[in-house]
Amino acid sequence: MILRRLAARAARAAAPARPRALRRALSLPAHEVVGLPALSPTMEQGTIAAWKVDEGGAFAAGDVICEIETDKATVDFEAQDD
């Protein structure tokens, strides 16, 4: 029993450590990361405040998909392409 624990500990120590972001990404369900353009020259990050299109719902170019909340304002995000 003690040998198994020591062997397991040695195996964990020898295995390359995964970065925290990679571990977190591996624990998420299948998804696609979509980059959002900066909505203002000073915008560094934003949060989706509200979805305007239902999951699986149809939308066209120019339709508002969601509201993005930044540190300064809440801005509508429009679809760029169909």
Side-chain angles (χ1 to χ4, degrees):
M1 186 68 149
I2 292 174
L3 289 176
R4 280 190 209 153
R5 287 184 187 165
L6 290 174
R9 185 179 296 163
R12 282 193 304 268
R18 291 184 175 158
R20 179 178 287 170
L22 179 59
R23 283 191 306 242
R24 189 175 19 207
L26 292 175
S27 66
L28 296 173
H31 64 283
E32 181 179 342
V33 176
V34 178
L36 297 175
L39 300 175
S40 72
T42 60
M43 179 180 170
E44 292 183 12
Q45 67 181 26
T47 304
I48 296 175
W51 287 102
K52 300 298 183 177
V53 176
D54 293 329
E55 184 176 343
F59 61 90
D63 289 350
V64 175
I65 298 175
C66 62
E67 292 179 355
I68 305 291
E69 182 178 318
T70 68
D71 58 337
K72 297 178 183 175
T74 300
V75 182
D76 289 339
F77 179 69
E78 297 179 356
Q80 303 299 315
D81 298 319
D82 287 334

